[in-house]
Amino acid sequence: MINPDRFLSDLHQLRQFGASGVGKGVVRPAYCEADMAARRWLADRMAEAGLSPQFDAMGNLFGLRDGAGLLLGSHTDTQPEGGWLDGALGVIAALEVARSNPGVSVVSFQDEEGRFGALTGSSVFSGAVDQAQADQFVAKDGMSLGTARAVVPRGECWNQREFSAYIELHIEQGPVLDASDQQIGVVTDIVGSRQLEITFSGQQNHAGTTPMHVRRDAFQGLSAFNAALNDRFRNVVTPDTVWTIGHVTLSPNAASIVPGRVSFSVQWRDAQEDRLARMEQIVRDTAAEIAAGAGLGISIEGLRHLKPVAMDLTLRRALEEAAQTVSPGRWRLMPSGALHDASNVARLMPVAMLFVPSIGGISHDFAEDTAEADLVAGVEVLARAAARLTREPQLQSTSPRKI
Amino acid sequence: MINPDRFLSDLHQLRQFGASGVGKGVVRPAYCEADMAARRWLADRMAEAGLSPQFDAMGNLFGLRDGAGLLLGSHTDTQPEGGWLDGALGVIAALEVARSNPGVSVVSFQDEEGRFGALTGSSVFSGAVDQAQADQFVAKDGMSLGTARAVVPRGECWNQREFSAYIELHIEQGPVLDASDQQIGVVTDIVGSRQLEITFSGQQNHAGTTPMHVRRDAFQGLSAFNAALNDRFRNVVTPDTVWTIGHVTLSPNAASIVPGRVSFSVQWRDAQEDRLARMEQIVRDTAAEIAAGAGLGISIEGLRHLKPVAMDLTLRRALEEAAQTVSPGRWRLMPSGALHDASNVARLMPVAMLFVPSIGGISHDFAEDTAEADLVAGVEVLARAAARLTREPQLQSTSPRKI
């Protein structure tokens, strides 16, 4: 069904749009010239494959076909300094599968990498954010999404509920498959995440004249909090749970001044909503206890909360069976620690995902890469699963209609 | 000998130059208009007191008198947001003492607060830094010291070795005297300090896709280092020893990214050089062990090293006896945790210092203040000690001569 050379050649051609940096780096953020040129190129490839290319108002590019209700795809925009596979793989694989499977439509979502937020194109597609709201989103360079999307050639809207299921092939962007020498990860859940911004307020003081026993040092509060949190999480978490203190702002942040204030993020991710909630309670309790013990003021703000998304079991079984056929014994079930467009699409229809390895776990970096054999295994698993699923009557669809 | 009303009135008048903010705040950084106006005002007060006012090339202002070899003073520049007593107290007290003691000369050093570095005026006076080198120092606003000091009315140089001793009265800038309800601190040593800039380099990674057990998280390295350091210092330090992690820069400093790098300062202060050295070894060993254990790269750079300065025993005894007379049972011996101009002047002659309380330990802040009774006690101790010392023949001097 699959032509590996054609598939790899397409991937390399797509990389030429925004090719940059050492290795296989790409610079193709949403709506930039390279991104739009890549989408026009992709629209031509869709047309060649017998699909009808259609941009929606956001610039999400669909390759549609009458009766093709199984939507495959991902995104073709990249990070400001990105790799050649993140997103691109899922789109080119979808195109290759659609060439031989008339039940398949293709999508490249816009701005998955979040020049204007996070997963912006699929957020609007899924109705999580409406277009007018999204148009107010502003990039770091000061441009609004409303202004940026003026470059979209023609913007239509249609009834996205005509699609019956969505499958996204993606690179893992983590080290798990690479480290265990496996080719395919069938995703069980896209993990949920919660994030809080905590501030400890102590007393800014002269670092020479303030004895240790009278200090209320905000950095010492953070360090004690971190140690206590690591300790208390141990009997709650699984090996798939992760947590991170990634952002720290110390004030006044000078070597000779006892820090009066620290603000920091705590983020944690897990596939189980109840575990996320238990961890939140531990974060809040631990921060409050540390602050009280150290004489620090505390504020806990800005809860960001994304629920886990379980993959559809019917779709997942099809991926599992295909993985076992293509890569016997070299695939595994795993959660997705990263968000993907599938998280949004799950608001509308059943979704599933599969991963291929990221060499060294590296992504969002010019050095991102995957072995060719693994790329081909990924598209073959996707094609087999799609073949099976498009034989099932509930995955038939009429053509998506304009609304 | 002392006229408390005149002394307090002078202090309040000096505060008018750059008076700002709530409370008794002052904004009078080195060489700014308010600073130079304050120095011209001070020069007039010196002349009224029978002293010969002389600016040197740096803008240090001396009030000189034939045969007056005991130099008293401090500085009249302030922090960008400073209090009314930091420096000013020691200068106005010196002026008040000089009015009735013909053996006393007065100085207000320039840029003690370090618009151009640290203790810049007394550094040049003492020969620690030469003028040509200092002229290259650049303030945060981009101005060089060489340019800034063009506002000094006339710049002479003279043989500073004509002075035979230096005593500096200063606010404590810490909470020790205030918390123990004492009026006078006779300084034993200006503590030394050492400071290192340490960088841990781990692996920047996606905070969702990177399992905990494969992370090399630079922030976790810092937290572990801090905990281990606090633990290992316990059997080395005294209650007067202090140490601070005051500056932390995390990279890339984003909530969703495992920190790949952290740079931070470690600074420690103590009156004993051998303790400073033992602590440095502990800092270096602990950082290396933590880095090795966590798979982090490490660099340790930029040692800053200031040796402790012991106060002269003859001068100190005179201050102790005067303190016991003026504030019986309400004075103590203590180290100075902050640097002062006396640290530099000690390169040239015997020095000593005395402190009065800072309310709440607050300094470098508009809220800085000291009870009037304590201010007056401070100048009385200074006057009594000066009276005794200027009776001693080795403190006689010829006039400082131009060189």
Side-chain angles (χ1 to χ4, degrees):
Chain A
M1 293 181 288
I2 292 304
N3 181 332
D5 291 341
R6 181 175 58 187
F7 159 68
L8 292 169
S9 164
D10 281 350
L11 261 182
H12 284 285
Q13 281 186 60
L14 176 53
R15 193 233 150 192
Q16 296 312 311
F17 298 93
S20 186
V22 292
K24 296 172 178 166
V26 179
V27 174
R28 203 166 60 217
Y31 303 114
C32 75
E33 223 174 283
D35 172 55
M36 293 311 298
R39 286 172 193 270
R40 288 190 297 270
W41 170 85
L42 178 64
D44 291 344
R45 299 291 81 68
M46 287 170 164
E48 282 176 7
L51 302 163
S52 166
Q54 305 271 356
F55 285 93
D56 69 7
M58 264 300 289
N60 298 316
L61 171 58
F62 290 81
L64 303 173
R65 182 148 47 189
D66 273 357
L70 176 60
L71 185 63
L72 307 182
S74 185
H75 61 95
T76 46
D77 63 296
T78 73
Q79 287 280 326
E81 295 195 353
W84 72 306
L85 297 173
D86 181 351
L89 170 63
V91 174
I92 297 301
L95 174 68
E96 179 59 23
V97 173
R99 283 176 174 136
S100 57
N101 186 332
V104 165
S105 289
V106 175
V107 63
S108 168
F109 286 111
Q110 184 52 290
D111 197 30
E112 195 271 351
E113 298 293 3
R115 182 178 166 203
F116 295 94
L119 316 181
T120 325
S122 58
S123 292
V124 173
F125 172 71
S126 70
V129 173
D130 68 33
Q131 185 69 65
Q133 196 183 345
D135 283 348
Q136 307 301 315
F137 294 169
V138 176
K140 282 188 184 165
D141 59 15
M143 184 178 282
S144 71
L145 195 154
T147 304
R149 74 181 176 87
V151 300
V152 174
R154 50 194 174 285
E156 311 267 8
C157 294
W158 57 84
N159 186 347
Q160 64 279 67
R161 289 190 176 73
E162 299 298 329
F163 299 113
S164 46
Y166 174 70
I167 303 179
E168 184 169 357
L169 166 62
H170 206 281
I171 54 169
E172 180 198 334
Q173 303 183 276
V176 173
L177 293 173
D178 187 47
S180 57
D181 196 30
Q182 288 170 309
Q183 278 195 307
I184 301 290
V186 175
V187 174
T188 54
D189 311 84
I190 299 174
V191 303
S193 70
R194 298 194 187 191
Q195 183 179 318
L196 289 167
E197 190 75 15
I198 301 179
T199 299
F200 288 142
S201 304
Q203 176 64 53
Q204 178 179 325
N205 270 315
H206 190 297
T209 61
T210 313
M212 299 305 282
H213 73 279
V214 303
R215 293 185 178 195
R216 294 186 294 125
D217 180 329
F219 171 75
Q220 293 298 324
L222 166 59
S223 181
F225 167 79
N226 177 63
L229 193 69
N230 287 342
D231 194 46
R232 292 178 186 192
F233 272 173
R234 301 253 174 261
N235 68 343
V236 176
V237 299
T238 76
D240 288 330
T241 314
V242 293
W243 64 99
T244 307
I245 294 177
H247 177 262
V248 173
T249 302
L250 212 59
S251 173
N253 210 27
S256 292
I257 304 181
V258 178
R261 222 172 110 95
V262 66
S263 292
F264 57 97
S265 62
V266 191
Q267 184 192 81
W268 57 105
R269 306 197 193 202
D270 192 84
Q272 300 304 316
E273 182 69 2
D274 63 338
R275 181 170 293 112
L276 290 171
R278 289 170 65 194
M279 293 175 77
E280 182 177 339
Q281 199 54 54
I282 292 171
V283 169
R284 289 180 181 275
D285 292 349
T286 304
E289 284 171 37
I290 292 290
L296 302 170
I298 182 173
S299 80
I300 302 183
E301 286 179 341
L303 177 66
R304 297 189 193 191
H305 183 175
L306 289 168
K307 290 194 178 175
V309 176
M311 299 296 98
D312 177 75
L313 271 184
T314 303
L315 303 177
R316 188 179 127 183
R317 296 286 181 245
L319 290 169
E320 290 172 29
E321 286 188 22
Q324 181 60 21
T325 304
V326 172
S327 301
R330 295 188 61 205
W331 66 279
R332 60 174 287 166
L333 294 172
M334 63 187 295
S336 170
L339 282 180
H340 294 285
D341 289 314
S343 311
N344 280 322
V345 181
R347 295 169 57 92
L348 303 174
M349 64 189 89
V351 302
M353 289 194 72
L354 72 160
F355 286 158
V356 292
S358 295
I359 295 172
I362 296 167
S363 182
H364 289 186
D365 192 294
F366 288 155
E368 169 191 288
D369 210 357
T370 298
E372 280 196 355
D374 296 340
L375 295 173
V376 171
V379 69
E380 286 184 343
V381 171
L382 185 67
R384 282 179 180 272
R388 173 175 159 177
L389 291 163
T390 50
R391 283 194 300 269
E392 298 186 12
Q394 72 273 25
L395 287 171
Q396 310 304 320
S397 148
T398 59
S399 172
R401 287 181 306 242
K402 293 176 188 167
I403 52 172
Chain B
M1 294 181 289
I2 291 303
N3 180 332
D5 291 341
R6 180 175 57 187
F7 159 69
L8 292 169
S9 163
D10 281 348
L11 259 182
H12 283 285
Q13 281 186 60
L14 176 53
R15 193 234 150 191
Q16 296 312 310
F17 298 93
S20 186
V22 293
K24 297 174 177 165
V26 179
V27 174
R28 202 167 60 218
Y31 303 113
C32 75
E33 222 174 285
D35 171 56
M36 294 311 297
R39 286 172 193 270
R40 287 190 298 269
W41 171 86
L42 179 63
D44 291 344
R45 299 291 82 67
M46 287 171 164
E48 281 176 9
L51 300 163
S52 166
Q54 304 273 358
F55 285 93
D56 70 6
M58 263 300 288
N60 297 316
L61 171 58
F62 291 81
L64 303 174
R65 182 148 47 189
D66 273 358
L70 176 60
L71 185 64
L72 306 183
S74 186
H75 61 95
T76 48
D77 63 298
T78 73
Q79 287 279 326
E81 295 195 354
W84 73 305
L85 297 172
D86 181 352
L89 169 63
V91 174
I92 298 300
L95 175 68
E96 179 60 24
V97 173
R99 283 176 173 134
S100 58
N101 185 332
V104 166
S105 291
V106 176
V107 63
S108 168
F109 286 110
Q110 183 53 289
D111 196 29
E112 195 270 353
E113 298 292 2
R115 182 178 166 204
F116 295 94
L119 318 181
T120 325
S122 58
S123 291
V124 173
F125 172 71
S126 70
V129 173
D130 67 34
Q131 186 69 65
Q133 197 182 345
D135 283 348
Q136 306 302 315
F137 295 169
V138 176
K140 281 188 184 165
D141 60 14
M143 184 178 281
S144 72
L145 195 154
T147 304
R149 74 181 176 88
V151 299
V152 175
R154 50 193 176 284
E156 311 266 10
C157 295
W158 57 85
N159 187 345
Q160 64 278 65
R161 289 190 176 72
E162 298 299 329
F163 299 112
S164 47
Y166 174 71
I167 303 180
E168 183 169 357
L169 165 62
H170 207 279
I171 53 170
E172 180 198 334
Q173 303 183 277
V176 174
L177 293 173
D178 187 48
S180 58
D181 196 31
Q182 289 170 308
Q183 279 195 307
I184 300 291
V186 175
V187 174
T188 54
D189 311 85
I190 299 174
V191 303
S193 70
R194 298 194 186 191
Q195 183 178 319
L196 289 166
E197 190 75 14
I198 300 180
T199 299
F200 287 142
S201 303
Q203 176 63 53
Q204 178 177 325
N205 269 316
H206 190 298
T209 61
T210 312
M212 300 305 282
H213 72 279
V214 303
R215 292 185 178 196
R216 294 186 294 126
D217 181 328
F219 171 75
Q220 293 299 324
L222 165 59
S223 180
F225 167 79
N226 177 64
L229 193 70
N230 287 343
D231 194 46
R232 293 179 186 190
F233 273 173
R234 300 253 173 261
N235 67 343
V236 176
V237 299
T238 75
D240 287 331
T241 313
V242 294
W243 64 99
T244 308
I245 293 178
H247 177 261
V248 173
T249 301
L250 213 58
S251 173
N253 210 27
S256 293
I257 303 181
V258 177
R261 223 173 110 96
V262 65
S263 292
F264 57 97
S265 62
V266 190
Q267 183 192 81
W268 58 105
R269 307 197 192 201
D270 192 84
Q272 302 302 318
E273 182 70 2
D274 64 337
R275 182 170 293 112
L276 291 171
R278 287 170 66 195
M279 292 175 77
E280 182 177 338
Q281 198 56 53
I282 291 171
V283 169
R284 290 180 180 275
D285 291 349
T286 304
E289 284 170 38
I290 292 289
L296 302 171
I298 182 173
S299 81
I300 303 182
E301 286 178 342
L303 176 67
R304 298 188 193 191
H305 185 176
L306 289 168
K307 289 193 177 175
V309 176
M311 299 296 97
D312 177 75
L313 271 183
T314 303
L315 303 177
R316 188 179 128 184
R317 297 283 180 247
L319 290 170
E320 291 171 28
E321 287 188 23
Q324 181 59 21
T325 305
V326 172
S327 302
R330 294 188 62 205
W331 66 278
R332 58 173 288 164
L333 292 172
M334 63 187 295
S336 169
L339 282 179
H340 294 286
D341 289 313
S343 310
N344 279 323
V345 180
R347 295 168 57 92
L348 303 174
M349 64 190 89
V351 303
M353 289 195 72
L354 73 160
F355 286 157
V356 293
S358 294
I359 294 172
I362 296 168
S363 182
H364 289 186
D365 191 295
F366 289 155
E368 169 190 289
D369 210 357
T370 298
E372 279 194 356
D374 296 338
L375 295 173
V376 171
V379 69
E380 286 184 342
V381 171
L382 184 67
R384 282 180 179 271
R388 171 173 162 180
L389 290 164
T390 50
R391 284 195 300 269
E392 299 187 12
Q394 71 272 25
L395 288 172
Q396 309 305 319
S397 148
T398 60
S399 171
R401 288 181 305 242
K402 292 177 189 168
I403 53 174

